[in-house]
Amino acid sequence: LPELPEAETVRSDLARVYQGDRLARISVTGRRTVRRHRPELLRTLEGLTLTGVGRHGKYLLLQWEGGPVMVAHLRMSGQLLSAQAGDPVALHTHAVLRFAHAGELRFVDPRTFGELFIAAPGPGLGSGPAPVANAAPGRGGGGPNLTGLAHLGPDALSIGAPDLHAALAGRRAPLKALLVDQRVLAGVGNIYADEICFEARLRPHRAAGSLARAEVTRLAASTRSVLAAAIVARGSTLADNGYQDLSGRPGSFQLQHQVYARAGLPCGRCGRPVQRIIFGARRAYFCPHCQR
DNA sequence: CGATTATCCTGTGCGC
DNA sequence: TGCGCACAGGATAATC
């Protein structure tokens, strides 16, 4: 579920509630949730204070006193929920972080695609600055200098036209396929790729390398503005309530969706029906009249 | 490189 | 009501 706007909403909630507090105890019960290393490794964070919460693309970066970073990715069905000790434990709760003062942070994930892991500084110069909330633009397109995240492209929220042009130039793949490729651009998934293409008035199946300069500039601007608007609305919560914020509340950006899951409904710009096409293994929604 | 398919899982909603 | 099936916001690997 969570794409960049949902991850960013959870990021700011986490910082507000837990930053500055000390981790008293962490327990991991899910077998698959911590799968990149021994689950016990997470216990080395016990006693440390949460100094900041960053994000790159859809990845959340919990930064602890002394440098360690715990990475969380919610994948399809993960949720990070605040709770008080003693509150009923939801089905599919795989990890619980108990803080000294702010209560518990619980990782709940029915499909178990999500994961938690501790990241070390990646190959390269190491010991660089701690990751910040949003990657700086124009930094050569890389992800954070952390193991497991180095393959990520630049964060979509601050993508600039030059970086986007570099990423799309010469590529014959469909535009949408590259927008959702985290190595190209980090943070965009199925919902926002369609909304961004609509806003930029570009067809999702256009060959990425065929975009004119002006179109790439428009696409970069649309990427930033759609994601920013979705963050203001605290993300998109679809019919199954799969996404909720830290407090269990839904987002509202789904009310502003222009094309996603709106096959046959009138395009808000021209009134003609939105079309759905099959696109690889997934669907894409677009307006054949407004998008070229 | 690009396209296609499969895989990891559970829950929901639909048609019959 | 109940059952079986398709499908779901993601990421990754394998194959052609």
Side-chain angles (χ1 to χ4, degrees), chain A residues 8 10-11 18 47 59 69 83 89 105 121 123 137 146 155 162-163 171 187 196 205 209 225 259 264 282 292:
Chain A
E8 176 59 24
V10 173
R11 186 204 65 76
Y18 301 105
Y59 290 82
V69 176
V89 177
L105 172 61
L146 292 169
D155 190 77
D163 283 353
R171 301 291 300 267
I196 288 164
H205 42 304
S225 66
V259 287
R282 300 201 190 277
R292 301 288 162 179

Side-chain angles (χ1 to χ4, degrees), chain A residues 223-281:
Chain A
T223 300
R224 297 188 304 265
S225 66
V226 167
L227 295 175
I231 289 168
V232 169
R234 300 184 61 79
S236 299
T237 297
L238 304 186
D240 67 357
N241 280 323
Y243 164 71
Q244 303 179 339
D245 67 15
L246 189 65
S247 307
R249 284 188 288 260
S252 63
F253 194 68
Q254 68 281 4
L255 303 174
Q256 296 177 58
H257 288 178
Q258 300 295 303
V259 287
Y260 182 79
R262 292 179 51 82
L265 297 172
C267 163
R269 203 163 164 275
C270 75
R272 282 172 246 223
V274 170
Q275 191 174 337
R276 184 188 79 174
I277 55 175
I278 300 300
F279 198 79

Side-chain angles (χ1 to χ4, degrees), chain A residues 4 22-23 26 45 49 64 80 101 103 114 116 133 135 140-141 176 184 192 195 203 246 251 268 271 278 283 292:
Chain A
L4 187 152
R22 185 171 52 83
L23 180 65
I26 180 168
L45 300 174
T49 295
W64 302 88
L80 284 168
H101 304 290
L116 302 175
K176 179 172 178 179
V184 172
Y192 294 103
E195 295 297 317
R203 297 196 176 202
L246 189 65
I278 300 300
R283 305 169 193 303
R292 301 288 162 179

Side-chain angles (χ1 to χ4, degrees), chain A residues 3-292:
Chain A
E3 301 182 31
L4 187 152
E6 293 76 28
E8 176 59 24
T9 301
V10 173
R11 186 204 65 76
S12 63
D13 283 357
L14 287 171
R16 178 173 48 76
V17 174
Y18 301 105
Q19 187 169 321
D21 202 351
R22 185 171 52 83
L23 180 65
R25 173 111 166 86
I26 180 168
S27 67
V28 178
T29 49
R31 301 174 63 87
R32 274 172 49 80
T33 298
V34 182
R35 53 185 180 271
R36 295 200 190 201
H37 55 63
R38 294 176 302 112
E40 306 79 56
L41 194 57
L42 285 179
R43 298 203 61 187
T44 59
L45 300 174
E46 290 180 353
L48 302 183
T49 295
L50 184 68
T51 54
V53 187
R55 178 192 58 71
H56 190 90
K58 307 171 189 175
Y59 290 82
L60 293 166
L61 311 171
L62 283 74
Q63 301 150 7
W64 302 88
E65 174 191 0
V69 176
M70 187 182 91
V71 179
H73 196 307
L74 305 175
R75 295 284 175 96
M76 292 289 274
S77 62
Q79 297 182 333
L80 284 168
L81 297 169
S82 63
Q84 295 304 314
D87 287 353
V89 177
L91 194 63
H92 306 303
T93 299
H94 304 309
V96 176
L97 286 74
R98 180 164 58 79
F99 283 82
H101 304 290
E104 295 184 349
L105 172 61
R106 298 179 180 176
F107 184 83
V108 180
D109 184 12
R111 292 176 72 179
T112 72
F113 292 168
E115 61 174 328
L116 302 175
F117 61 94
I118 292 190
L125 291 178
S127 72
V132 291
N134 299 311
R139 192 170 53 104
N145 185 28
L146 292 169
T147 52
L149 302 188
H151 66 292
L152 295 172
D155 190 77
L157 185 56
S158 53
I159 188 68
D163 283 353
L164 193 57
H165 184 266
L168 303 184
R171 301 291 300 267
R172 256 175 278 196
L175 176 56
K176 179 172 178 179
L178 295 191
L179 289 178
V180 302
D181 185 335
Q182 304 301 297
R183 295 166 302 185
V184 172
L185 186 66
V188 176
N190 213 29
I191 293 178
Y192 294 103
D194 284 356
E195 295 297 317
I196 288 164
C197 286
F198 176 81
E199 177 72 21
R201 306 195 309 280
L202 296 169
R203 297 196 176 202
H205 42 304
R206 268 281 290 279
S210 76
L211 269 59
R213 283 253 174 205
E215 292 177 319
V216 174
T217 301
R218 214 162 70 213
L219 181 63
S222 299
T223 300
R224 297 188 304 265
S225 66
V226 167
L227 295 175
I231 289 168
V232 169
R234 300 184 61 79
S236 299
T237 297
L238 304 186
D240 67 357
N241 280 323
Y243 164 71
Q244 303 179 339
D245 67 15
L246 189 65
S247 307
R249 284 188 288 260
S252 63
F253 194 68
Q254 68 281 4
L255 303 174
Q256 296 177 58
H257 288 178
Q258 300 295 303
V259 287
Y260 182 79
R262 292 179 51 82
L265 297 172
C267 163
R269 203 163 164 275
C270 75
R272 282 172 246 223
V274 170
Q275 191 174 337
R276 184 188 79 174
I277 55 175
I278 300 300
F279 198 79
R282 300 201 190 277
R283 305 169 193 303
Y285 301 88
F286 73 106
C287 172
H289 180 253
C290 295
Q291 294 172 254
R292 301 288 162 179

